Amino acid sequence: MTSDGETVGAVLRLSVPEHFGPPRTGHLAMGDEPGRPDAITVNSRHLSRGGVPWFPVMGEYHFSRYPAAEWREELLKMRAGGVSVAAAYVFWNIHEEVRGRYLWSGDRDLRRFLQLCSEVGLDVVVRIGPWGHGESRYGGFPDWLTAADCEPRTDDPRYLALVRPWLEQIGAQLRGLTRAGGGPIVAVQVENELYDQPGHLLTIKRLAGECGIDAPLWTATGWGHAQLPPGEVLPVFGGYSEAAWDTAHDGWPAQSRAHYFFGPGRDDDSIGADLRETGTAPGEATGRPASASGGEEHLADYPFATCELGGGMYTSYHRRAIVAARDLAALAMVKLGSGSSWQGYYLYHGASQKIGELSTLQESHATGYPNDCPVVNYDFQAPLGEYGQFRDSYRHLRLQHLWLATDGAALATMSLVMPDDAPSDTADRASLRWAVRSDGESGFLFVNNHQPVETLPAHDDVRFAITIGGRELLVPSRPVSIPSGGYFAWPLNRPLGGALLRWASAQVVCVLDGPEPVLVLTQTAGLPVELALDAATVTSVDGPATAARLGDDVVLSALVPGLDCLLRVTAPGEAITRVLILDEETALAAVRARIAGQDRLVVCDSPVVPDGDHLVVYGDSPLRVFPPLDVPLGTGRTRPPTPVEVTHLAKAGPPRAPVIDEATGRASAPVDADFDNAAVYHLTVPEEAFDGDEELLLRLDWTGDVGRAYVDGRLVADQFWYGPVWEIGLRRFRDEVVQHGLELRLLPLGPDAPVYLSPEVRRDVGPGGLVELRSATLVPVTRTVLTAARA
């Protein structure tokens, strides 16, 4: 080791067992009825569909917190990001805020949402609760239920008598949309974060079935060492790079570190710890690395499935961290390397909290929660934002999802193999984190050298010696330096048409179908790309590479990744496969689409969303297509941003004195009366700023404590300031905002505010507080629909 922790000249070794044994079957009370052609089944290792291993990619999207008119557009964005399953809470307090009056129309139209999911090709997991959380008031329970004479979330007959009509309502909405009716619902989650009532979970499952709610899979959250009814529900887990429910300390939440280490551990006992009686204060969770799986032996009966890999993080009043795209993508990659066979993100799509008829519906100290949330904002810094904005994390996760759409079936059957010297302490920042998933013959080498907050050192002169399939693979042919922040998965003994790809120091993107299939790879972490082919399975290689015989392999090197880096590999019998090797930026800009009757990659720096035979382009960046089209597709368009006419109506008063919640010791958010002391601005939005039904974003560059935006006296948006520019989508308020403009109220941040802010945005705050509106700009989000004629 060098003095700064860098590894020099390391050959990291691992031997993969030849056999892992078959998964356990027949022990779980779930799955489709036998004989169905596309039957969904589950064993102890993975899920299958139609007899083929199935690797779902699930994204949470709260339909009832988003305008129904925009659902289809947003679902298409999710599908283009590689999501194959939409998950959604059904919040009781949104649909029955007033007892006995059920609302299922407009933004609350669950049935229409499910139909749209089916139309765009997405499966659905319905999270029926009855208690859901989702930072919702009383966890989604209506106020009238919390006042009822019963013991909620138990088998108290008085509670179940209230739950049954609610589940009957959901059952009526799902009629004809379950699997039995040919619908998209593949799973139902019962309850949420209920860790000590296995009998009650079984009761809710039974009751839901009696109410017409049915699915091949039933799930329940398993974190917090949850006691679940054995074999009746599939435990699903989570992992976040940050925790808005943690305290306002300046450090990184202890348990978040564990998610950047490979290992068999699934549980994160910090999720929901603020709502559990655990004897451990939030922020004092175990912080065990994933390699430590003590107390999880019973989970060997189930595949490793997740429902809440953090797609970002919400801002609580007392804790407002920035979550970077690579923080999310590295965490997701570690879960894949650790054995995940179902990737589920929370949230994948941001949303806006509803304001009810009787109250606001957000989590708050006023209702006994440990965390004060914004009244409206539930953006979550998600891959798709509160108004459908494409975030950088969307691209980084899409790259992994493209791979899973190609190799997920193989990966799902593979088991985790850890090196003997895997880190055993989350404080270890010196050891390189790596693992292999394999079926004994083929596999993938996973490496992670990234985590948030605490920068990891580079590792020089690294090679991996992996014994797999009866021989040792030395990867790559020459030592490489793995940079700080790098993470990737490299294939081992992967079929390549009639040839065998022994290994590649590049990550699989996808396979493009066609007469000559194209394996698309991407460079990772800036490392040189090499491919090693089993010489006995190759008769020739054509293309821009240097070929050298190395033992029983042909090693291809001197590759310059890009859309022109195309190899043609011929196997005995003239079977031909092409290999396209992309650079990282090109791969991050790539979307797979069916165009003019052929499978292609569309590369564009602007977001591109396939919709049937069309491509919807959000912006004006040029499109590059592989394989090329005979005729150009055209390009997108943009309209320039325009400044907003801003009238400063009132200066802010002195900063509000901190208010501390007695029950938690955490800072409480300002209340309505506090905004009488805010800086007040009026913003004029001209009608000509809108164009058809396209989104118009108001971008506010500001600093302060809390901001609120009103249209004609109605609160429409808010934000706890945490650094990034605040964006408000205006198309849903178009007529009102053109008529009345928008009023902005900004409260100053005080010098003694007991809140956490990410280090990169912290600044000195004087006694007069900090509040400033630096700029306000209108940014049109243009959409261009492009069509290519079929060949």
Side-chain angles (χ1 to χ4, degrees):
M1 304 289 289
T2 64
S3 59
D4 59 0
E6 293 185 351
T7 303
V8 177
V11 177
L12 304 177
R13 298 185 179 276
L14 183 148
S15 183
V16 174
E18 293 185 8
H19 304 285
F20 289 92
R24 187 181 176 196
T25 61
H27 61 295
L28 303 177
M30 60 187 80
D32 279 318
E33 293 295 323
R36 180 173 177 143
D38 63 339
I40 293 174
T41 57
V42 57
N43 60 42
S44 63
R45 191 170 297 155
H46 62 84
L47 298 104
S48 292
R49 195 164 187 170
V52 177
W54 174 44
F55 199 122
V57 176
M58 182 171 71
E60 185 88 13
Y61 177 37
H62 294 161
F63 69 97
S64 60
R65 292 169 165 175
Y66 211 86
E70 301 170 26
W71 286 347
R72 186 178 186 277
E73 179 182 358
E74 302 310 306
L75 290 171
L76 286 171
K77 291 178 184 177
M78 291 174 63
R79 191 189 66 180
V83 170
S84 60
V85 182
Y89 278 124
V90 185
F91 293 107
W92 196 346
N93 58 8
I94 284 180
H95 297 280
E96 195 191 2
E97 186 180 8
V98 177
R99 186 173 183 180
R101 192 184 71 184
Y102 296 98
L103 303 177
W104 294 107
S105 61
D107 299 348
R108 298 169 170 86
D109 193 340
L110 171 60
R111 187 170 185 83
R112 179 59 181 150
F113 174 75
L114 296 173
Q115 291 168 335
L116 283 172
C117 287
S118 183
E119 288 175 18
V120 305
L122 292 175
D123 295 315
V124 180
V125 173
V126 183
R127 303 176 85 176
I128 63 171
W131 191 89
H133 200 197
E135 283 63 60
S136 182
R137 180 181 175 90
Y138 294 124
F141 279 165
D143 283 17
W144 60 261
L145 186 141
T146 66
D149 182 19
C150 66
E151 287 292 327
R153 307 181 75 185
T154 73
D155 279 354
D156 180 350
R158 297 168 298 175
Y159 172 64
L160 296 179
L162 299 175
V163 167
R164 179 180 282 274
W166 166 239
L167 294 182
E168 287 174 343
Q169 283 284 319
I170 296 177
Q173 296 298 312
L174 304 189
R175 191 170 298 126
L177 295 172
T178 64
R179 287 273 289 171
I185 300 170
V186 296
V188 173
Q189 179 183 303
V190 292
E191 259 288 338
N192 191 55
E193 298 179 349
L194 189 62
Y195 65 99
D196 60 353
Q197 298 274 343
H200 180 59
L201 294 175
L202 198 54
T203 296
I204 294 296
K205 178 182 176 182
R206 174 188 55 78
L207 189 57
E210 293 173 1
C211 295
I213 301 170
D214 186 35
L217 303 173
W218 293 81
T219 70
T221 52
W223 51 76
H225 309 293
Q227 304 167 38
L228 305 180
E232 293 285 344
V233 292
L234 175 63
V236 287
F237 293 90
Y240 290 89
S241 62
E242 242 295 339
W245 53 84
D246 204 345
T247 57
H249 63 79
D250 282 344
W252 187 31
Q255 188 66 21
S256 293
R257 292 179 175 84
H259 299 300
Y260 294 88
F261 290 80
F262 297 103
R266 305 182 190 184
D267 199 1
D268 179 343
D269 57 10
S270 75
I271 305 177
D274 51 353
L275 298 173
R276 282 197 308 271
E277 294 181 4
T278 63
T280 302
E284 295 178 358
T286 61
R288 297 175 300 166
S291 56
S293 58
E296 297 189 9
E297 292 77 9
H298 65 291
L299 296 178
D301 284 341
Y302 307 92
F304 184 4
T306 61
C307 68
E308 289 199 17
L309 298 182
M313 181 50 60
Y314 70 95
T315 53
S316 60
Y317 180 72
H318 70 276
R319 190 168 185 90
R320 318 174 189 180
I322 294 174
V323 178
R326 290 186 176 273
D327 297 346
L328 307 181
L331 185 152
M333 183 66 80
V334 169
K335 296 302 178 185
L336 292 175
S338 297
S340 171
S341 57
W342 181 336
Q343 293 282 89
Y345 300 94
Y346 187 99
L347 283 172
Y348 187 83
H349 198 305
S352 302
Q353 297 265 24
K354 278 274 191 291
I355 296 178
E357 293 181 37
L358 306 179
S359 70
T360 59
L361 296 178
Q362 86 283 12
E363 178 179 72
S364 71
H365 290 164
T367 56
Y369 279 110
N371 315 303
D372 258 350
C373 294
V375 174
V376 176
N377 178 284
Y378 201 56
D379 176 80
F380 218 85
Q381 303 177 59
L384 292 168
E386 183 180 6
Y387 305 101
Q389 309 99 305
F390 294 90
R391 300 275 165 64
D392 197 33
S393 55
Y394 179 89
R395 302 188 311 143
H396 284 265
L397 291 175
R398 178 179 61 192
L399 186 56
Q400 295 180 20
H401 302 160
L402 282 169
W403 168 44
L404 291 176
T406 293
D407 284 348
L411 183 67
T413 67
M414 295 178 178
S415 298
L416 168 67
V417 185
M418 295 284 292
D420 292 337
D421 59 351
S424 59
D425 187 338
T426 57
D428 185 340
R429 293 175 55 246
S431 301
L432 183 64
R433 305 165 190 182
W434 67 287
V436 168
R437 276 185 77 174
S438 175
D439 57 11
E441 291 293 330
S442 60
F444 294 91
L445 165 65
F446 289 84
V447 174
N448 176 48
N449 199 32
H450 174 86
Q451 68 180 26
V453 182
E454 301 164 353
T455 302
L456 300 178
H459 294 262
D460 290 337
D461 300 324
V462 174
R463 299 176 84 188
F464 301 91
I466 302 167
T467 301
I468 183 173
R471 60 164 287 187
E472 183 180 78
L473 305 182
L474 198 57
V475 186
S477 71
R478 297 181 179 86
V480 294
S481 293
I482 297 175
S484 176
Y487 56 90
F488 50 82
W490 291 348
L492 306 170
N493 285 343
R494 188 192 189 282
L496 182 63
L500 179 64
L501 179 63
R502 285 292 185 187
W503 55 263
S505 57
Q507 187 169 305
V508 175
V509 176
C510 64
V511 171
L512 301 177
D513 299 328
E516 294 184 1
V518 182
L519 172 65
V520 184
L521 302 172
T522 180
Q523 184 182 35
T524 57
L527 299 174
V529 175
E530 294 183 320
L531 279 64
L533 301 168
D534 184 343
T537 66
V538 176
T539 58
S540 66
V541 177
D542 300 305
T546 298
R549 186 67 179 255
L550 189 62
D552 294 330
D553 298 334
V554 175
V555 176
L556 307 178
S557 60
L559 295 156
V560 180
L563 277 173
D564 296 327
C565 190
L566 183 63
L567 308 176
R568 196 166 186 261
V569 179
T570 305
E574 301 301 313
I576 296 172
T577 300
R578 294 185 291 170
V579 181
L580 177 66
I581 304 164
L582 303 178
D583 60 277
E584 293 170 273
E585 282 306 307
T586 298
L588 286 170
V591 179
R592 185 179 179 182
R594 191 82 179 171
I595 305 175
Q598 188 172 346
D599 210 12
R600 304 178 194 268
L601 277 188
V602 178
V603 178
C604 185
D605 290 333
S606 298
V608 175
V609 175
D611 181 7
D613 293 332
H614 311 296
L615 296 177
V616 182
V617 183
Y618 291 81
D620 64 350
S621 298
L623 282 73
R624 294 172 289 166
V625 180
F626 178 92
L629 290 164
D630 294 334
V631 294
L633 266 174
T635 188
R637 62 187 177 87
T638 59
R639 293 192 296 135
T642 58
V644 181
E645 181 184 330
V646 178
T647 304
H648 192 177
L649 301 178
K651 292 182 178 181
R656 162 181 171 267
V659 176
I660 304 300
D661 177 53
E662 290 184 3
T664 63
R666 298 175 178 181
S668 296
V671 297
D672 292 350
D674 291 316
F675 285 86
D676 293 340
N677 202 39
V680 183
Y681 303 85
H682 182 271
L683 282 63
T684 301
V685 180
E687 185 172 11
E688 55 268 24
F690 292 91
D691 184 10
D693 64 349
E694 294 176 345
E695 184 62 272
L696 180 67
L697 290 176
L698 172 63
R699 291 175 55 88
L700 301 170
D701 185 3
W702 75 292
T703 54
D705 185 21
V706 179
R708 286 186 175 182
Y710 301 83
V711 176
D712 193 24
R714 177 168 68 96
L715 178 65
V716 297
D718 59 348
Q719 187 189 59
F720 298 157
W721 181 78
Y722 71 108
V725 168
W726 180 14
E727 294 183 332
I728 304 173
L730 298 181
R731 68 173 162 181
R732 62 190 67 173
F733 321 116
R734 173 177 177 156
D735 293 342
E736 297 168 274
V737 81
V738 168
Q739 180 179 357
H740 301 288
L742 184 142
E743 182 182 275
L744 191 64
R745 290 180 173 263
L746 306 179
L747 286 176
L749 182 69
D752 53 352
V755 302
Y756 171 83
L757 293 166
S758 292
E760 60 265 38
V761 302
R762 292 178 193 158
R763 57 194 68 190
D764 293 331
V765 179
L770 177 67
V771 63
E772 181 183 9
L773 177 62
R774 287 189 288 267
S775 67
T777 310
L778 294 171
V779 181
V781 181
T782 57
R783 292 178 294 168
T784 305
V785 179
L786 304 177
T787 304
R790 287 185 174 272

